[in-house]
Amino acid sequence: MLIKAVLVPLLSLVLAAPLHSAVAAPATEPATEPAAAPRDDDPARALAPHGRVTYTAHRGGSLEVPENSMSGLTEALRRGTASALDVDVRRLRDGTLVATHDATLNRTTTAKGPVHKLDRHQWGRIWLRHSPRLRGSWPREHPPTLAKVLDRFGGHTPLVLELKDPAGLGRLGSMLRGRKLTGSVHVQSNSVALAARARSEGLLTSVWRSARQLRTDRPERWRRTVDILSVDHRARARDVRRAVDSGVARVWGHTVNTPAARDRMVRLGCETIVTDAPGLLTRTPRRTAAPLG
């Protein structure tokens, strides 16, 4: 009886212990390492369909928070309205990868001119200019580098990184491998060819397609290359259904900012919605109806 009284609590502690410890992210971009296999406790598991609608915050949810900013991404997670974060990535002239959508600084910062003409030190002196449409007060801040985004959110939250400059794929892959994030970060673009390159480097892939492209796409040919296919919510119902039935592991709807558009895409088979307004869609109940054929 004494042995049983000691062993049972001890066994319970062993079974309750986490299978993997957290991996500390390096402060600088590391050299390339072999691709890491996805872990059992990988945050990307949150993207798997569970019979319920989940949301990916597009640029952090740019109708509700400052887009592609550390304050916006942090707040999007704090509110608990999104299961994943979508972040845009561009390349500076010295190869540094940064989080920004536009090719120029004009719209989202206090500076002007092409992003690719700056280096890392110049990038650190730029200030973000938040949209006046946003509610609440937001801190004055610099636009982040991708390294800062990965070190803050990588390994804790599924990330979709839209690579605007294909030349940055090599460095991006090195950063993800060095931080052991190849199982929880998807590299996204509009190009299936770029997705094939990313896959050859051991990375997860995501491809977005417009309504016009989906009319002639053959997504069944991509099921071994594309992990996420993100389809335009304005596409024809038959084109969305063809994507959903293609064999690609996950088919998402983008960029969905109204409850009506969300309900349509869910009925067509998209269980994850990419949105600039995750708070709005989370607060608005779904109107259920028969699936659209």
Side-chain angles (χ1 to χ4, degrees), residues 38-39 41-48 157-159 183-186 204 250:
R39 307 190 311 256
D41 62 348
D42 202 304
R45 295 175 64 190
L47 302 180
T157 304
L159 298 173
S184 62
V185 177
H186 288 74
L204 295 174
R250 300 184 179 104

Side-chain angles (χ1 to χ4, degrees), residues 37 40 51-52 72 94 111 154 178 202 233 242 246 250 254 270 276 287:
D40 290 339
R52 64 183 182 88
D94 61 1
H233 76 92
R242 191 169 69 252
S246 65
R250 300 184 179 104
H254 78 262
C270 299
D276 293 309
R287 298 184 65 180

Side-chain angles (χ1 to χ4, degrees), residues 15 17 24 61 68-69 76 97 165 177 193 216 228 245 249 278-279:
L15 293 177
N68 292 316
S69 70
L97 299 181
D165 302 315
R177 285 188 289 270
T216 56
I228 296 173
D245 295 335

Side-chain angles (χ1 to χ4, degrees), residues 110 127-128 130 138-142:
T110 58
W127 293 98
L128 284 173
H130 301 324
W138 300 94
R140 189 168 185 253
E141 59 186 316
H142 301 291

